[in-house]
Amino acid sequence: SARYPFFGEHQAGITTPAQDRLHFAAFDLAPDATRDDLASLLADWTEAAARLTQGLEVGEAGAVGGSPYAPPDDTGEALGLPASGLTITFGFGPTLFGTADGVDRFRLAARRPAALEPLPRFSGDALVPERSGGDLCIQACADDPQVAVHAIRNLSRIAFGRAMLRWSQLGFGRTSSTSTSQTTPRNLFGFKDGTANIKAEEPDAVAEHVWVSREQGPEWLVGGSYLVARRIRMIIESWDRVQLAEQEALFGRTKGEGGPMSGGGEFAAIDLAATARDGSPVIARDAHVRLAHPETNGGIRLLRRGYNFVDGNDALGRLDAGLFFLSFQNDPEHFVTVQRSLASDGLNEYLKHVGSAVFAIPPGAHEGDSIGDTLL
Ligand code: HEM
């Protein structure tokens, strides 16, 4: 089972080969929390995350080594399980830096990155406030769902009295590969997802598109990134009645191998200019890969790291299923540009964006320091 270091220049869980499972959680600080509470919370979270990611229990005494007269330090359900590739990635939402009504509870307003603003409204948004926003976020990814859930559960428990869970999302089946060592997984529409993603083996692309540079700043965020989370409901019952050829046209890729409709295998370059005999474009004007492609968006690339979800069903007997879209980029405006381009995406007939959040992802911490030390 894989084990990734918690400390380092960048936080883990971004270029780390995407694990199979996700538990994502957004938190709000308690109404009476102070700046000291925030600092102590981040220190406690760092200490626990450093242990959990190495397959250790929370606290030296763990789940069963402490006093029989006190609740154990660790909740216990991961006892005996290996690290399972667990990564824990922390982020700061715009509301941490002061609210719209000018309240600056943590004296952080002056430190807010100019780029960290709530995302604008997009056409077709059907956002639910209870599934959106948050002062803080934690992304826990692992190859075992029990390990990812154990991490979020224990970190929420540690936050008790200082911050509380605002919303959370479980994901199964990664929908992206972030390393050339991985095969491309499939989303719930049945298509390979992650083919043209930024891969860890492309260090120049990672440096150019993912990590916040010194020129971009602010200084405390250099080596960090921005995370956009979108809970996208997929109307799979309607999709499942669409003809195969139409499904492929909507994506601009074949369903089997995942190659571009303009020809070639999975990793062949997409030829957006290719035309059919009658002069019509081979990759349709409203095809997802045309509208999301860097050529259509001034060279922008995102590091996508999303997961499939199925959360029961709705009152109409349709599965509450979809893609929990996660992307890392060194400017949230890059996501905004691509998402605006996708306004005419043919797929939209089968999609509904119901949750949305953006977070600044601070750089990694060095051993002995805490996540967020560069900010506080
Ligand atoms: C490509 C699925 C939403 C950005 C793709 C591909 C698939 C796919 C199958 C082609 C394979 C690949 O290169 O990964 C989906 C589904 C979505 C969704 C099912 C919604 C449920 C989004 C959103 C964005 C986005 C919201 C960003 C705003 C991209 C990008 C590419 C891509 C940048 C690569 C384009 C290229 O360089 O060729 N997506 N996607 N996707 N998607 Fe999505």
Side-chain angles (χ1 to χ4, degrees), residues 226-244:
Y226 292 91
L227 169 61
V228 169
R230 305 280 290 182
R231 186 179 191 273
I232 310 175
R233 173 94 184 265
M234 289 162 49
I235 317 301
I236 53 178
E237 290 78 4
S238 307
W239 176 260
D240 293 344
R241 289 192 294 266
V242 175
Q243 295 173 2
L244 174 61

PDB file of all heavy atoms in Angstrom, residues 226-244:
ATOM      1  N   TYR A 226      -4.930  26.984  -6.269  1.00  0.00           N
ATOM      2  CA  TYR A 226      -6.337  27.239  -5.974  1.00  0.00           C
ATOM      3  C   TYR A 226      -7.118  26.002  -6.371  1.00  0.00           C
ATOM      4  O   TYR A 226      -6.853  25.400  -7.408  1.00  0.00           O
ATOM      5  CB  TYR A 226      -6.877  28.437  -6.762  1.00  0.00           C
ATOM      6  CG  TYR A 226      -6.295  29.764  -6.338  1.00  0.00           C
ATOM      7  CD1 TYR A 226      -5.155  30.266  -6.957  1.00  0.00           C
ATOM      8  CD2 TYR A 226      -6.880  30.516  -5.326  1.00  0.00           C
ATOM      9  CE1 TYR A 226      -4.611  31.482  -6.591  1.00  0.00           C
ATOM     10  CE2 TYR A 226      -6.345  31.748  -4.942  1.00  0.00           C
ATOM     11  CZ  TYR A 226      -5.206  32.222  -5.581  1.00  0.00           C
ATOM     12  OH  TYR A 226      -4.677  33.422  -5.206  1.00  0.00           O
ATOM     13  N   LEU A 227      -8.078  25.645  -5.512  1.00  0.00           N
ATOM     14  CA  LEU A 227      -8.920  24.480  -5.776  1.00  0.00           C
ATOM     15  C   LEU A 227     -10.343  24.942  -6.066  1.00  0.00           C
ATOM     16  O   LEU A 227     -10.907  25.730  -5.302  1.00  0.00           O
ATOM     17  CB  LEU A 227      -8.922  23.560  -4.546  1.00  0.00           C
ATOM     18  CG  LEU A 227      -9.934  22.417  -4.526  1.00  0.00           C
ATOM     19  CD1 LEU A 227      -9.717  21.464  -5.689  1.00  0.00           C
ATOM     20  CD2 LEU A 227      -9.845  21.661  -3.212  1.00  0.00           C
ATOM     21  N   VAL A 228     -10.901  24.469  -7.163  1.00  0.00           N
ATOM     22  CA  VAL A 228     -12.326  24.687  -7.439  1.00  0.00           C
ATOM     23  C   VAL A 228     -13.034  23.349  -7.288  1.00  0.00           C
ATOM     24  O   VAL A 228     -12.573  22.328  -7.801  1.00  0.00           O
ATOM     25  CB  VAL A 228     -12.548  25.251  -8.862  1.00  0.00           C
ATOM     26  CG1 VAL A 228     -14.034  25.209  -9.224  1.00  0.00           C
ATOM     27  CG2 VAL A 228     -12.019  26.671  -8.955  1.00  0.00           C
ATOM     28  N   ALA A 229     -14.131  23.349  -6.543  1.00  0.00           N
ATOM     29  CA  ALA A 229     -14.947  22.141  -6.355  1.00  0.00           C
ATOM     30  C   ALA A 229     -16.332  22.420  -6.916  1.00  0.00           C
ATOM     31  O   ALA A 229     -16.925  23.468  -6.622  1.00  0.00           O
ATOM     32  CB  ALA A 229     -15.044  21.786  -4.869  1.00  0.00           C
ATOM     33  N   ARG A 230     -16.851  21.523  -7.732  1.00  0.00           N
ATOM     34  CA  ARG A 230     -18.202  21.669  -8.280  1.00  0.00           C
ATOM     35  C   ARG A 230     -18.907  20.324  -8.177  1.00  0.00           C
ATOM     36  O   ARG A 230     -18.421  19.322  -8.698  1.00  0.00           O
ATOM     37  CB  ARG A 230     -18.156  22.071  -9.764  1.00  0.00           C
ATOM     38  CG  ARG A 230     -17.361  23.324 -10.064  1.00  0.00           C
ATOM     39  CD  ARG A 230     -18.094  24.589  -9.792  1.00  0.00           C
ATOM     40  NE  ARG A 230     -19.179  24.840 -10.731  1.00  0.00           N
ATOM     41  CZ  ARG A 230     -19.939  25.941 -10.684  1.00  0.00           C
ATOM     42  NH1 ARG A 230     -19.738  26.875  -9.749  1.00  0.00           N
ATOM     43  NH2 ARG A 230     -20.920  26.105 -11.553  1.00  0.00           N
ATOM     44  N   ARG A 231     -20.036  20.313  -7.469  1.00  0.00           N
ATOM     45  CA  ARG A 231     -20.816  19.071  -7.443  1.00  0.00           C
ATOM     46  C   ARG A 231     -21.737  19.117  -8.656  1.00  0.00           C
ATOM     47  O   ARG A 231     -22.682  19.909  -8.707  1.00  0.00           O
ATOM     48  CB  ARG A 231     -21.624  18.963  -6.155  1.00  0.00           C
ATOM     49  CG  ARG A 231     -22.339  17.617  -6.004  1.00  0.00           C
ATOM     50  CD  ARG A 231     -23.108  17.580  -4.687  1.00  0.00           C
ATOM     51  NE  ARG A 231     -23.593  16.260  -4.357  1.00  0.00           N
ATOM     52  CZ  ARG A 231     -24.764  15.752  -4.764  1.00  0.00           C
ATOM     53  NH1 ARG A 231     -25.554  16.450  -5.541  1.00  0.00           N
ATOM     54  NH2 ARG A 231     -25.123  14.532  -4.394  1.00  0.00           N
ATOM     55  N   ILE A 232     -21.425  18.283  -9.655  1.00  0.00           N
ATOM     56  CA  ILE A 232     -22.175  18.308 -10.912  1.00  0.00           C
ATOM     57  C   ILE A 232     -23.050  17.063 -10.999  1.00  0.00           C
ATOM     58  O   ILE A 232     -22.551  15.943 -11.118  1.00  0.00           O
ATOM     59  CB  ILE A 232     -21.236  18.373 -12.136  1.00  0.00           C
ATOM     60  CG1 ILE A 232     -20.200  19.499 -11.983  1.00  0.00           C
ATOM     61  CG2 ILE A 232     -22.050  18.562 -13.417  1.00  0.00           C
ATOM     62  CD1 ILE A 232     -19.165  19.558 -13.101  1.00  0.00           C
ATOM     63  N   ARG A 233     -24.331  17.267 -10.891  1.00  0.00           N
ATOM     64  CA  ARG A 233     -25.292  16.170 -11.028  1.00  0.00           C
ATOM     65  C   ARG A 233     -25.339  15.763 -12.496  1.00  0.00           C
ATOM     66  O   ARG A 233     -25.386  16.617 -13.379  1.00  0.00           O
ATOM     67  CB  ARG A 233     -26.646  16.703 -10.549  1.00  0.00           C
ATOM     68  CG  ARG A 233     -27.806  15.778 -10.764  1.00  0.00           C
ATOM     69  CD  ARG A 233     -28.075  14.933  -9.530  1.00  0.00           C
ATOM     70  NE  ARG A 233     -29.140  13.995  -9.831  1.00  0.00           N
ATOM     71  CZ  ARG A 233     -30.424  14.207  -9.553  1.00  0.00           C
ATOM     72  NH1 ARG A 233     -30.791  15.306  -8.921  1.00  0.00           N
ATOM     73  NH2 ARG A 233     -31.342  13.307  -9.882  1.00  0.00           N
ATOM     74  N   MET A 234     -25.314  14.474 -12.779  1.00  0.00           N
ATOM     75  CA  MET A 234     -25.423  13.982 -14.140  1.00  0.00           C
ATOM     76  C   MET A 234     -26.769  13.281 -14.277  1.00  0.00           C
ATOM     77  O   MET A 234     -27.089  12.392 -13.479  1.00  0.00           O
ATOM     78  CB  MET A 234     -24.255  13.026 -14.461  1.00  0.00           C
ATOM     79  CG  MET A 234     -22.951  13.801 -14.580  1.00  0.00           C
ATOM     80  SD  MET A 234     -21.370  12.896 -14.467  1.00  0.00           S
ATOM     81  CE  MET A 234     -21.536  11.561 -15.555  1.00  0.00           C
ATOM     82  N   ILE A 235     -27.569  13.703 -15.267  1.00  0.00           N
ATOM     83  CA  ILE A 235     -28.901  13.121 -15.452  1.00  0.00           C
ATOM     84  C   ILE A 235     -28.704  11.852 -16.282  1.00  0.00           C
ATOM     85  O   ILE A 235     -28.921  11.828 -17.495  1.00  0.00           O
ATOM     86  CB  ILE A 235     -29.864  14.120 -16.151  1.00  0.00           C
ATOM     87  CG1 ILE A 235     -29.704  15.533 -15.561  1.00  0.00           C
ATOM     88  CG2 ILE A 235     -31.303  13.628 -16.053  1.00  0.00           C
ATOM     89  CD1 ILE A 235     -29.963  15.659 -14.071  1.00  0.00           C
ATOM     90  N   ILE A 236     -28.259  10.798 -15.603  1.00  0.00           N
ATOM     91  CA  ILE A 236     -27.817   9.616 -16.340  1.00  0.00           C
ATOM     92  C   ILE A 236     -28.972   8.865 -16.994  1.00  0.00           C
ATOM     93  O   ILE A 236     -28.786   8.208 -18.008  1.00  0.00           O
ATOM     94  CB  ILE A 236     -26.966   8.671 -15.456  1.00  0.00           C
ATOM     95  CG1 ILE A 236     -27.686   8.313 -14.174  1.00  0.00           C
ATOM     96  CG2 ILE A 236     -25.618   9.285 -15.136  1.00  0.00           C
ATOM     97  CD1 ILE A 236     -26.899   7.342 -13.302  1.00  0.00           C
ATOM     98  N   GLU A 237     -30.209   8.998 -16.445  1.00  0.00           N
ATOM     99  CA  GLU A 237     -31.347   8.297 -17.051  1.00  0.00           C
ATOM    100  C   GLU A 237     -31.621   8.843 -18.451  1.00  0.00           C
ATOM    101  O   GLU A 237     -31.963   8.094 -19.365  1.00  0.00           O
ATOM    102  CB  GLU A 237     -32.589   8.426 -16.169  1.00  0.00           C
ATOM    103  CG  GLU A 237     -32.498   7.635 -14.861  1.00  0.00           C
ATOM    104  CD  GLU A 237     -31.657   8.304 -13.783  1.00  0.00           C
ATOM    105  OE1 GLU A 237     -31.182   9.452 -13.997  1.00  0.00           O
ATOM    106  OE2 GLU A 237     -31.435   7.686 -12.729  1.00  0.00           O
ATOM    107  N   SER A 238     -31.483  10.164 -18.646  1.00  0.00           N
ATOM    108  CA  SER A 238     -31.664  10.745 -19.986  1.00  0.00           C
ATOM    109  C   SER A 238     -30.487  10.369 -20.875  1.00  0.00           C
ATOM    110  O   SER A 238     -30.659  10.010 -22.042  1.00  0.00           O
ATOM    111  CB  SER A 238     -31.752  12.277 -19.907  1.00  0.00           C
ATOM    112  OG  SER A 238     -32.735  12.648 -18.983  1.00  0.00           O
ATOM    113  N   TRP A 239     -29.291  10.456 -20.321  1.00  0.00           N
ATOM    114  CA  TRP A 239     -28.080  10.122 -21.073  1.00  0.00           C
ATOM    115  C   TRP A 239     -28.131   8.695 -21.623  1.00  0.00           C
ATOM    116  O   TRP A 239     -27.726   8.434 -22.761  1.00  0.00           O
ATOM    117  CB  TRP A 239     -26.863  10.276 -20.155  1.00  0.00           C
ATOM    118  CG  TRP A 239     -25.569   9.870 -20.777  1.00  0.00           C
ATOM    119  CD1 TRP A 239     -24.914   8.679 -20.604  1.00  0.00           C
ATOM    120  CD2 TRP A 239     -24.784  10.634 -21.695  1.00  0.00           C
ATOM    121  NE1 TRP A 239     -23.765   8.668 -21.343  1.00  0.00           N
ATOM    122  CE2 TRP A 239     -23.655   9.852 -22.025  1.00  0.00           C
ATOM    123  CE3 TRP A 239     -24.920  11.906 -22.253  1.00  0.00           C
ATOM    124  CZ2 TRP A 239     -22.661  10.306 -22.897  1.00  0.00           C
ATOM    125  CZ3 TRP A 239     -23.938  12.355 -23.130  1.00  0.00           C
ATOM    126  CH2 TRP A 239     -22.825  11.562 -23.440  1.00  0.00           C
ATOM    127  N   ASP A 240     -28.666   7.789 -20.823  1.00  0.00           N
ATOM    128  CA  ASP A 240     -28.677   6.375 -21.210  1.00  0.00           C
ATOM    129  C   ASP A 240     -29.620   6.094 -22.378  1.00  0.00           C
ATOM    130  O   ASP A 240     -29.612   4.994 -22.923  1.00  0.00           O
ATOM    131  CB  ASP A 240     -29.036   5.495 -20.000  1.00  0.00           C
ATOM    132  CG  ASP A 240     -27.948   5.527 -18.932  1.00  0.00           C
ATOM    133  OD1 ASP A 240     -26.823   5.958 -19.259  1.00  0.00           O
ATOM    134  OD2 ASP A 240     -28.222   5.144 -17.781  1.00  0.00           O
ATOM    135  N   ARG A 241     -30.413   7.105 -22.784  1.00  0.00           N
ATOM    136  CA  ARG A 241     -31.287   6.933 -23.954  1.00  0.00           C
ATOM    137  C   ARG A 241     -30.700   7.618 -25.190  1.00  0.00           C
ATOM    138  O   ARG A 241     -31.338   7.676 -26.235  1.00  0.00           O
ATOM    139  CB  ARG A 241     -32.692   7.482 -23.652  1.00  0.00           C
ATOM    140  CG  ARG A 241     -33.465   6.616 -22.654  1.00  0.00           C
ATOM    141  CD  ARG A 241     -34.932   7.002 -22.581  1.00  0.00           C
ATOM    142  NE  ARG A 241     -35.119   8.339 -22.026  1.00  0.00           N
ATOM    143  CZ  ARG A 241     -35.349   8.571 -20.736  1.00  0.00           C
ATOM    144  NH1 ARG A 241     -35.461   7.572 -19.893  1.00  0.00           N
ATOM    145  NH2 ARG A 241     -35.519   9.803 -20.304  1.00  0.00           N
ATOM    146  N   VAL A 242     -29.503   8.143 -25.077  1.00  0.00           N
ATOM    147  CA  VAL A 242     -28.859   8.835 -26.206  1.00  0.00           C
ATOM    148  C   VAL A 242     -28.074   7.821 -27.036  1.00  0.00           C
ATOM    149  O   VAL A 242     -27.382   6.960 -26.486  1.00  0.00           O
ATOM    150  CB  VAL A 242     -27.919   9.950 -25.680  1.00  0.00           C
ATOM    151  CG1 VAL A 242     -27.153  10.611 -26.818  1.00  0.00           C
ATOM    152  CG2 VAL A 242     -28.711  10.978 -24.881  1.00  0.00           C
ATOM    153  N   GLN A 243     -28.208   7.943 -28.383  1.00  0.00           N
ATOM    154  CA  GLN A 243     -27.493   7.023 -29.278  1.00  0.00           C
ATOM    155  C   GLN A 243     -25.987   7.157 -29.103  1.00  0.00           C
ATOM    156  O   GLN A 243     -25.471   8.247 -28.849  1.00  0.00           O
ATOM    157  CB  GLN A 243     -27.847   7.351 -30.734  1.00  0.00           C
ATOM    158  CG  GLN A 243     -29.302   7.110 -31.056  1.00  0.00           C
ATOM    159  CD  GLN A 243     -29.656   7.595 -32.450  1.00  0.00           C
ATOM    160  OE1 GLN A 243     -28.786   8.076 -33.187  1.00  0.00           O
ATOM    161  NE2 GLN A 243     -30.916   7.472 -32.811  1.00  0.00           N
ATOM    162  N   LEU A 244     -25.287   6.047 -29.313  1.00  0.00           N
ATOM    163  CA  LEU A 244     -23.826   6.022 -29.130  1.00  0.00           C
ATOM    164  C   LEU A 244     -23.135   7.112 -29.950  1.00  0.00           C
ATOM    165  O   LEU A 244     -22.273   7.835 -29.438  1.00  0.00           O
ATOM    166  CB  LEU A 244     -23.283   4.634 -29.517  1.00  0.00           C
ATOM    167  CG  LEU A 244     -21.762   4.487 -29.508  1.00  0.00           C
ATOM    168  CD1 LEU A 244     -21.187   4.741 -28.118  1.00  0.00           C
ATOM    169  CD2 LEU A 244     -21.360   3.086 -29.984  1.00  0.00           C
TER     170      LEU A 244
END
